[in-house]
């Protein structure tokens, strides 16, 4: 065989009863109780995740087409759901990969583990891509790999030995131990018919939560979660994604190709933060199970590339910013009265995870906005040089005018017909949330949308209208409160 048995006095023992702890474990890390380390090894990194889907390589890595993941169709993989412990060790250069490989292989076999796959360098296929399965490793110069499974199939072990360049004084090897276990669901979802005003259904806010925040009463949090961002509006439009995302360039969704639905009512958005050990798989599987158990219908769910151009999801919810991966669930009550989206981007921090929950409770708007008459608009322009145009509504984070805006635009058109000499600037304003450059561009698109609607639908001459956006540079109120932010999101008419 291509590996000759090698025996050393320091043979690493792998046994079900192994409990030896290292003498020099790194802070927060320890050997897995089933896999002891070489006596000269030191822990470089350690992570333990309570519930995750682990991909164990059991054949050569296939050639990939993209940049960011392995080619799964051509790569044999075992998928194990359960607890994953991942440890990266550093060892002196004088210890060979063959030495450690053979020691672990013999120990696995002596503990009745089944060897599923073993390889060295080119026999591993596209071995440099292994770091896409274990992001802690930098696989450049070579790879020795060993995959095994316990006799009862409950525990899977993968060992990857990665020698460094000849100039390095040490090299690394990684131990992954995946232990199959069922999901422990710690997320509650209350049935849609439960009154959302029931006080006992919402837990008390935590000290770590942002001020003024709370859970939605129908959707209590995971016990380890804290609220990092919170917003609630009594009446807002909510666009719920129901299919893969298609974008138009960098800053706009292609709504003709992107399947979605819109609803209006009370909208609550919560961004939760979790410890790194609580994984994306645990949260999303828990929500899916709890939603089904409580009578909600799953309308759409996707993961990573199946979500389409998921980097554009922040156009639907600016608090969720996917970068390297994405998992999404859309659901609704049977009567459609309650709609929710759960969005979990791939973590971009080793310290914590974040996910967004959006809940829309359909209801009719209680109109508290006064639409000024043509004479009142003209008087405001004469007295102050400007008039706030009430009754203008846009889709969320978009320049698309809602049909209910036409009532206010009719009054503007009537004023301009009565005063044919009048020319006006249409000026868009935003609150100060988000980047200034983006808000300036959004406010200008919204202002121009109002001008275009007056020109196209109400026959106002184009030379009499011009749109500008000033973002948050001319606030009408403080941006420190939700009420002040709402006042600052407005469209004004300014006399030229």
């Amino acid at each position: 065989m291509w590996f000759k048995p090698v025996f050393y006095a320091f043979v690493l023992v792998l046994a079900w009863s192994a409990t030896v702890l290292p003498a020099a474990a790194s802070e927060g890390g320890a050997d897995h109780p089933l896999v002891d380390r070489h006596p000269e090894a030191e822990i470089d990194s350690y992570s333990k995740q309570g519930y995750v889907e682990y991909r164990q390589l059991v054949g050569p890595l296939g050639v990939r087409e993209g940049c960011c993941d392995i080619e799964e169709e051509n790569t044999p993989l075992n998928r194990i759901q359960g607890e994953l412990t991942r440890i990266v060790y550093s060892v002196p250069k004088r210890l060979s990969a063959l030495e450690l490989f053979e020691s672990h292989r013999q120990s696995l076999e002596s503990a009745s583990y089944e060897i599923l796959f073993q390889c060295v360098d080119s026999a591993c296929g596209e071995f440099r891509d292994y770091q896409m399965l274990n992001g802690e490793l930098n696989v450049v110069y070579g790879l020795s790999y060993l995959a095994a499974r316990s006799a009862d199939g409950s525990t899977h072990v993968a060992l990857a030995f990665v020698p460094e360049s000849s100039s390095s004084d040490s090299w690394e090897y990684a131990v992954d131990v995946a232990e199959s276990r069922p999901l422990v669901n710690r997320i509650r979802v209350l049935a849609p018919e439960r009154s959302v005003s029931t006080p006992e259904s919402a837990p008390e806010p935590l000290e770590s939560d942002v001020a003024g925040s709370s859970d939605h009463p129908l959707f209590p949090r995971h016990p380890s979660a804290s609220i990092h961002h919170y917003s609630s509006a009594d009446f807002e439009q909510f666009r719920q994604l129901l299919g893969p995302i298609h974008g138009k360039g960098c800053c706009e969704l292609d709504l003709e190709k992107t399947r979605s639905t819109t609803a209006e009512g009370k909208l609550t958005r919560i961004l939760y933060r979790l410890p790194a050990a609580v994984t994306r798989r645990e949260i999303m599987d828990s929500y899916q199970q709890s939603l089904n158990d409580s009578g909600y219908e799953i309308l759409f769910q996707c993961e990573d590339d199946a979500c389409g151009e998921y980097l554009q999801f922040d156009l639907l919810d600016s608090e969720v910013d996917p970068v390297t991966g994405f998992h999404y669930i859309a659901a609704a009550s049977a009567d459609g009265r309650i709609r929710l989206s759960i969005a979990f981007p791939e973590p971009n921090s080793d310290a914590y995870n974040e996910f967004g929950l959006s809940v829309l409770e359909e209801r009719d708007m209680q109109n508290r906005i006064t639409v000024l008459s043509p004479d009142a608009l003209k008087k405001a322009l004469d007295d102050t040089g400007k008039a706030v145009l009430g009754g203008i509504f846009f889709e969320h984070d978009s320049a698309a005018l809602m049909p209910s805006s036409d009532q206010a635009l009719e009054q503007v058109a009537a004023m301009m017909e009565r005063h044919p000499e009048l020319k006006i600037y249409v000026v868009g304003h935003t609150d100060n949330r988000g980047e200034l450059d983006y808000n300036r561009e959004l406010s200008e698109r919204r202002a121009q949308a109002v001008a275009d609607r007056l020109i196209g639908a109400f026959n106002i001459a184009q030379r009499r209208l011009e749109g500008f956006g000033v973002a948050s540079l001319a606030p009408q109120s403080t941006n420190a409160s939700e009420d002040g932010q709402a006042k600052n999101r407005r469209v004004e008419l300014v006399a030229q």
Side-chain angles (χ1 to χ4, degrees):
M1 299 299 291
W2 51 272
F3 278 115
K4 296 180 180 180
V6 181
F7 294 90
Y8 295 91
F10 57 80
V11 169
L12 308 180
V13 178
L14 184 151
W16 291 101
S17 60
T19 58
V20 178
L21 294 178
S26 66
E27 184 177 353
D31 296 326
H32 191 281
L34 299 182
V35 185
D36 197 9
R37 75 168 87 179
H38 185 279
E40 297 185 60
E42 295 184 356
I43 294 178
D44 271 358
S45 66
Y46 174 92
S47 66
K48 186 173 182 179
Q49 297 175 307
Y51 184 80
V52 67
E53 182 175 79
Y54 174 67
R55 298 181 298 174
Q56 182 191 41
L57 182 68
V58 289
L61 283 152
V63 178
R64 60 186 166 91
E65 296 180 359
C67 70
C68 303
D69 203 359
I70 65 170
E71 180 55 54
E72 293 200 20
E73 292 184 0
N74 300 319
T75 301
L77 297 168
N78 276 339
R79 294 179 179 271
I80 304 101
Q81 292 187 342
E83 182 177 279
L84 173 64
T85 303
R86 171 167 288 165
I87 310 170
V88 177
Y89 294 103
S90 176
V91 293
K93 177 184 175 182
R94 59 186 174 76
L95 296 177
S96 71
L98 176 61
E99 188 176 299
L100 291 182
F101 183 101
E102 282 294 324
S103 297
H104 276 289
R105 185 179 64 81
Q106 292 169 18
S107 296
L108 286 163
E109 289 179 339
S110 67
S112 299
Y113 277 70
E114 176 189 1
I115 304 299
L116 302 176
F117 177 59
Q118 56 186 348
C119 65
V120 173
D121 295 342
S122 61
C124 302
E126 299 293 314
F127 65 83
R128 291 179 181 85
D129 288 348
Y130 183 75
Q131 63 193 85
M132 295 182 186
L133 291 173
N134 185 326
E136 303 295 328
L137 295 176
N138 184 24
V139 185
V140 177
Y141 299 100
L143 173 69
S144 299
Y145 176 81
L146 183 64
R149 176 175 58 200
S150 63
D152 64 358
S154 65
T155 303
H156 291 69
V157 178
L159 300 112
F161 306 90
V162 185
E164 296 288 347
S165 67
S166 58
S167 62
S168 176
D169 294 331
S170 63
W171 58 277
E172 292 182 330
Y173 74 97
V175 177
D176 289 351
V177 182
E179 301 171 70
S180 299
R181 58 186 55 181
L183 171 68
V184 178
N185 192 340
R186 295 186 287 173
I187 291 177
R188 293 176 59 215
V189 171
L190 302 185
E193 58 269 18
R194 180 75 170 269
S195 170
V196 295
S197 61
T198 305
E200 65 270 19
S201 63
E204 290 295 322
L206 304 179
E207 289 186 5
S208 55
D209 293 347
V210 297
S213 66
S214 65
D215 294 320
H216 190 283
L218 288 180
F219 304 99
R221 75 183 73 189
H222 186 282
S224 300
S226 61
I227 297 178
H228 189 57
H229 177 83
Y230 176 87
S231 66
S232 181
D234 287 337
F235 189 81
E236 183 62 272
Q237 185 176 72
F238 174 58
R239 182 176 293 278
Q240 187 179 40
L241 184 67
L242 298 179
I245 298 171
H246 298 270
K248 284 184 178 180
C250 70
C251 304
E252 188 176 358
L253 295 179
D254 189 336
L255 297 179
E256 292 183 359
K257 295 181 180 178
T258 301
R259 185 166 168 256
S260 63
T261 187
T262 57
E264 296 177 349
K266 182 176 181 179
L267 178 60
T268 303
R269 292 189 187 273
I270 306 173
L271 185 69
Y272 286 108
R273 181 167 285 184
L274 295 156
V278 181
T279 65
R280 180 171 70 155
R281 176 64 59 185
E282 177 181 343
I283 293 298
M284 302 311 281
D285 285 4
S286 295
Y287 268 113
Q288 181 179 350
Q289 184 183 99
S290 296
L291 288 165
N292 285 327
D293 290 347
S294 297
Y296 291 83
E297 179 185 1
I298 305 293
L299 304 175
F300 174 61
Q301 57 184 329
C302 63
E303 187 170 356
D304 297 334
D305 290 343
C307 301
E309 299 175 49
Y310 61 78
L311 297 180
Q312 306 274 36
F313 185 80
D314 61 349
L315 299 177
L316 291 171
D317 185 345
S318 60
E319 299 302 327
V320 177
D321 186 19
V323 177
T324 58
F326 187 59
H327 200 152
Y328 174 82
I329 295 177
S333 58
D335 60 4
R337 184 178 62 88
I338 297 170
R339 294 184 172 273
L340 66 144
S341 295
I342 303 133
F344 203 130
E346 185 73 22
N348 57 11
S349 169
D350 294 334
Y352 58 82
N353 300 320
E354 289 183 337
F355 74 96
L357 171 68
S358 298
V359 183
L360 188 285
E361 303 161 50
E362 283 196 353
R363 60 179 59 171
D364 294 331
M365 181 180 68
Q366 296 179 350
N367 194 345
R368 292 175 287 181
I369 295 176
T370 301
V371 175
L372 298 180
S373 68
D375 291 341
L377 286 170
K378 184 62 167 62
K379 185 177 187 305
L381 288 171
D382 290 341
D383 292 347
T384 65
K386 65 179 182 179
V388 176
L389 188 55
I392 300 297
F393 304 102
F394 297 94
E395 294 187 6
H396 176 70
D397 204 24
S398 165
L401 275 167
M402 294 170 61
S404 53
S405 302
D406 278 355
Q407 180 184 356
L409 295 179
E410 287 174 0
Q411 308 306 309
V412 178
M415 174 192 68
M416 299 191 75
E417 287 174 0
R418 295 178 189 179
H419 303 278
E421 78 291 348
L422 181 62
K423 295 182 180 180
I424 60 174
Y425 297 116
V426 181
V427 184
H429 299 257
T430 69
D431 56 35
N432 68 346
R433 291 184 299 177
E435 296 294 328
L436 178 62
D437 287 344
Y438 175 76
N439 285 339
R440 184 185 292 116
E441 186 266 343
L442 175 62
S443 62
E444 183 156 334
R445 286 194 293 123
R446 286 182 165 180
Q448 194 58 51
V450 171
D452 290 345
R453 182 67 176 165
L454 287 167
I455 293 166
F458 296 95
N459 299 316
I460 304 301
Q462 185 173 356
R463 60 181 175 78
R464 302 177 62 192
L465 294 163
E466 193 169 358
F468 288 93
V470 296
S472 58
L473 300 181
Q476 193 176 54
S477 183
T478 175
N479 278 300
S481 67
E482 291 282 346
D483 184 61
Q485 290 173 356
K487 291 177 180 177
N488 290 333
R489 296 189 296 267
R490 68 196 190 280
V491 173
E492 289 185 345
L493 305 181
V494 176
Q496 293 191 21

